[in-house]
Amino acid sequence: MAREYTLKRHAAPVARIDYAAELNPQQCAAVTAPPGPALVIAGAGSGKTRTLTYRVAYLLENGVSASNILLLTFTNKAAREMLERVTSLIPNDIAGLWSGTFHSIGNRILRRHAEAAGFRPGFSIMDREDQQDILDAVIAKAGISTKDKRFPKGEVLADIFSYSINTGRPIDQVVAEKYPYFAMLDAQIALLQPQYEERKRAANSLDFDDLLEKTLRLLQSDESVRAFYQRQFQFILVDEYQDTNKIQADFIDALAAAHDNVMVVGDDAQSIYSWRGANFQNILDFPKRYPKAKVYKIETNYRSVPQILQVANAAIEANVNQFKKELQSVRQDTGLKPALVALGDSTQQAQFIAQRILELRDEGADLREIAVLYRAHYHSMELQMELTRHGIPFAITSGLRFFEQAHVKDVAAFMKFVVNPRDEVAFKRMARLLPGIGARSAEQLWNEVDRRLSALPLLALEPAVPATAGAPSPAGTVHFKELLFDLKVPSKALKAWQQLAYTLDEIAPAGKVNPPGAMLESIIEAVYDDYLKEKFPNYDQRREDLNVLGNYARQYESVQDFLDQLALVSSLETSNELNAADDDEMVNLSSVHQAKGLEWKVVFVIWMSEGMFPSSRSLDSSEGVEEERRLFYVAVTRARDELYLTYPILRLNAGYGEAFQRPSRFLGEVPKNLLEEWQVS
DNA sequence: TACGTGGCGCTTTTT
DNA sequence: GCGCCACGTA
């Protein structure tokens, strides 16, 4: 039996926060909960973020060191905002606190222990597109002809593998469920997975799933690493727990195993990421996995007026699988019911929204306090045109992230390659930019580069700048000009190729990597600007994007950190950060998914039509429909004062003329007397 | 093997 | 009304 021995804390600062006064009793109970497992079920708008923020402050005030806290959130922005609020509450230094998304925390851990996980510290992070590229190469290499019989493309394989990893279910099961028409190929598909793994290893590249999975495996297999982080993270806080998947839940469990000091916060009614492997059974079963868990419920809603909340409560009612709860509004009754608006077609729908927004602005509303939400990004197309016509400025958190645009990824490929010369995807992307080099030549060139790289000592492949600040710096000795200059390239590409070799040498002289801002300048000036002019019709726009990227890059000293940001920061966070026009008055257009955690005074939910919302793709299973219903619940609960639910009766079908659309079933589930029907003519 | 043109099919959600 | 893919040509 080990002896229990406690180190005395240095004198804790005098308690400054009056928790009972600043929080409601339910919040306060959760915030001041004793150590040990805790499940906080916090309804929409109930002050979930506030609760977590105060919890962090509470721990710090009670002498817990910041470096012993791990805060896991759904976006990096959410983490940053919480910590800012903590700083405004108490004077403690919180620099040592680890916070961010599961992916970014995984990345941070793996950078430190890359070797133990079977990689080199300078590894690249692949996004979905990179993943598809490499999988297409794996398929080709395996000699599978996609011609004679239908075989899934890289895109589909990525989806299968990813879902399999994130849910911990075998490939054949995933294929049978999600792609039954490929069921007879499942053995062959499963065979490709180890090849994909091998290829990633050779390229020293990790995909998004690896950032979770490899981290978990590392904790499970390496006892010293596990013990280290278990000791470091004495208190674990998890936001949006309902959207964690199996790996994420296991990751938390592994870290918490030694002390069980884990507080998870979430709302099962807002679980909307099952297609990415999220499993809201994690939150429902938390008390089973942690039998000592205390459950705290926070059911007072501060956000929405009662009329909106009633609609929300009614909307979620039809779901069988949930913790029953009834949100109570503390806000004044405005006497204004949410509007149910039927419109002739989608054009009218767009006109209605635009007109109503103009009226709201005349009434003195701030455009930033208005949002239009929809199920899928393409639902917003007509509205965008209509808003433009009326001169109404809007900001979209678009489907395509800023960093996923071709020109951004192109210039990033240069940087990725010099940081990690084994990055097959980055190299090929770079090569294909040159005239006369397509997929085929790029592949051949890579084979030769790969051969030359293998002849170099292992250490030479590390970048000369430390991967993490303070780490010893290995001697980088890759001379890119020597490596590439004399390769055989198509004659059409020769000049550009030599230029490329010089440029790489310039941005990483003798393998010593320049800071990202300077690198970008060289890349653009030496090769990319010409390409951009030639290739894209909207040169000016894209060039401007690259300037923005350059400004952003200059904030970073280390290329590695900069590239990590590109890979791991979500669109929501970048759009604000890059445009920096936060104070511009703009209406927000957003998918419901991206609206998670946000709120506005006025919310329009458009395309409330059967087949659109709920999406027709979700209709074949009851779980699918329940998730759509939760999504609808999320949409409704974004609104503080005014809510409009609109749907067009006619749908203009591409090519096929028009078809009648039934209103969404979700509208029928809300009692008529809770909504006010608007007749629009 | 790279790249331009015509036909076809049809729209989720994202770290 | 648009993007993607396959095919044919330089």
Side-chain angles (χ1 to χ4, degrees), chain A residues 362-423:
Chain A
D362 289 344
E363 292 164 19
D366 186 325
L367 292 185
R368 280 166 294 189
E369 283 290 359
I370 302 173
V372 183
L373 307 182
Y374 35 81
R375 176 66 180 87
H377 282 293
Y378 76 93
H379 294 170
S380 72
M381 291 317 200
E382 278 166 299
L383 182 63
Q384 288 183 43
M385 293 192 289
E386 191 66 22
L387 292 178
T388 308
R389 210 177 350 255
H390 289 270
I392 302 172
F394 58 90
I396 325 177
T397 46
S398 76
L400 235 209
R401 298 170 21 176
F402 178 81
F403 295 142
E404 281 170 350
Q405 300 178 84
H407 50 291
V408 175
K409 289 199 63 179
D410 287 342
V411 293
F414 291 78
M415 306 170 94
K416 286 175 92 168
F417 180 65
V418 294
V419 171
N420 174 25
R422 278 182 291 191
D423 191 328

Side-chain angles (χ1 to χ4, degrees), chain A residues 215-227:
Chain A
T215 313
L216 175 62
R217 301 288 166 249
L218 176 67
L219 290 180
Q220 289 171 335
S221 64
D222 190 318
E223 208 193 315
S224 66
V225 173
R226 181 172 66 242

